[in-house]
Amino acid sequence: MGKLDGRVVLVTGAARGQGEQEARLFTEEGAKVVLADVLDGQGEAVAEELGGLYVHLDVGSADDWGRAVAEAKAAYGKIDGLVNNAGILRFNELVSTPLDEFQQIVRVNQVGTFLGIKHVAPQIAAAGGGSIVNTASYAGVTGMAYVGAYTATKHAVVGLTRVAAMELAGQGIRVNAVCPGAIDTAMSNPAQLDPEADTEEAARALGELYRKLVPLGRVGRPQEVARLALFLTAEDESSYITGQPFVIDGGWLAGVSVL
Ligand code: NAD
């Protein structure tokens, strides 16, 4: 018995990183997974390996959402789970951030999450209930200098999560947020995307940084976030939990240390 037997879950940003691991774990647990991304080649390859459905979906486009939902329903008959995982990060001082850059981050991280809820929640309700997990960040519950636009959108994702939980509870839909700290994906470790990069050296530098910064002494793994998303998606595990942000950060936000 899988924890998601009979479920159909759409995961955005599923071509790589945390979304890919969520698609893998959810498939292992019996779900039919709809993998959505803009990285078509990578997404299709993962979907083929898992026996899932790949859909091209730019989360900031309402038209794309309409098409993705239609394709998912044509393939599997329903959708009763959503993981709004897709996101982008840019580093910049607030006063130096170009308006275009700010708006691009809002479009993907914040509008993307809003459109996901707007398009998929009615499907989940029609299927008799289910769950939505929104990927925020620890930058959704505390400030983080030099990623101001990102931080603003991740706070917004936590806000959307709370409101959606209240508005959708009556339709049997639970809505929660995951708030990861530093996770070892291309976002925190861009060397993963650079064929020229010395990946061992990048891993060593990352290890050294987080040994000092994080009480548990290491960067997080995307598989660990996937297990939290599974917990929040599986009805048997989290049936009385809705509207909450869940920090998964190795203790980084636990407090400050003077020594
Ligand atoms: P990642 O960059 O490896 O994955 C992000 C995925 O989102 C990619 O597959 C990318 O193609 C996809 N994506 C980007 N723009 C898109 C769009 N417009 N439409 C559809 N898909 C799009 O990084 P990740 O760590 O796996 O990121 C997953 C989520 O976790 C993001 O929301 C990110 O903000 C959040 N997060 C990451 C960290 C971290 O340290 N890696 C920490 C906290 C939160």
Side-chain angles (χ1 to χ4, degrees):
M1 279 283 285
K3 290 177 179 163
L4 299 179
D5 282 346
R7 299 282 301 274
V8 179
V9 183
L10 190 153
V11 181
T12 68
R16 70 178 194 212
Q18 295 173 52
E20 175 188 345
Q21 295 306 324
E22 283 153 0
R24 288 183 183 281
L25 182 60
F26 285 24
T27 303
E28 275 170 34
E29 290 292 343
K32 300 281 185 212
V33 178
V34 182
L35 297 94
D37 210 297
V38 289
L39 296 174
D40 296 336
Q42 269 175 269
E44 275 161 8
V46 178
E48 192 178 345
E49 185 191 331
L50 299 182
L53 172 73
Y54 176 76
V55 294
H56 176 91
L57 167 62
D58 172 355
V59 294
S61 159
D63 288 349
D64 277 13
W65 273 106
R67 268 192 298 274
V69 165
E71 283 178 49
K73 282 192 71 182
Y76 299 129
K78 67 168 184 179
I79 307 175
D80 61 8
L82 170 66
V83 182
N84 273 317
N85 160 79
I88 57 172
L89 171 73
R90 300 286 181 271
F91 289 90
N92 228 325
E93 206 178 11
L94 261 187
V95 295
S96 308
T97 302
L99 177 59
D100 280 359
E101 181 177 298
F102 195 97
Q103 288 176 330
Q104 184 196 17
I105 297 168
V106 168
R107 181 179 180 278
V108 177
N109 297 2
Q110 183 173 337
V111 175
T113 301
F114 159 68
L115 287 176
I117 294 168
K118 182 176 167 63
H119 285 261
V120 179
Q123 302 299 329
I124 302 177
S131 60
I132 298 176
V133 174
N134 297 320
T135 302
S137 169
Y138 62 163
V141 290
T142 190
M144 189 179 249
Y146 306 106
V147 289
Y150 181 84
T151 300
T153 61
K154 293 302 189 178
H155 275 71
V157 169
V158 172
L160 280 170
T161 299
R162 291 183 169 127
V163 173
M166 295 167 76
E167 293 185 2
L168 298 172
Q171 297 165 56
I173 304 175
R174 297 179 301 104
V175 188
N176 291 289
V178 296
C179 299
I183 306 299
D184 193 3
T185 66
M187 185 174 282
S188 282
N189 183 6
Q192 289 185 8
L193 297 180
D194 178 0
E196 309 281 293
D198 180 343
T199 46
E200 270 181 30
E201 171 53 24
R204 195 200 56 73
L206 210 64
E208 184 137 329
L209 176 66
Y210 292 112
R211 209 167 11 258
K212 289 187 206 138
L213 285 178
V214 177
L216 288 183
R218 63 172 175 82
V219 68
R221 304 179 190 105
Q223 292 86 348
E224 292 174 311
V225 181
R227 288 201 291 273
L228 177 56
L230 170 65
F231 171 77
L232 294 172
T233 298
E235 187 60 23
D236 285 353
E237 305 277 337
S238 55
S239 50
Y240 199 52
I241 300 176
T242 198
Q244 292 304 315
F246 289 83
V247 175
I248 171 165
D249 71 343
W252 202 348
L253 289 189
V256 293
S257 171
V258 290
L259 293 179

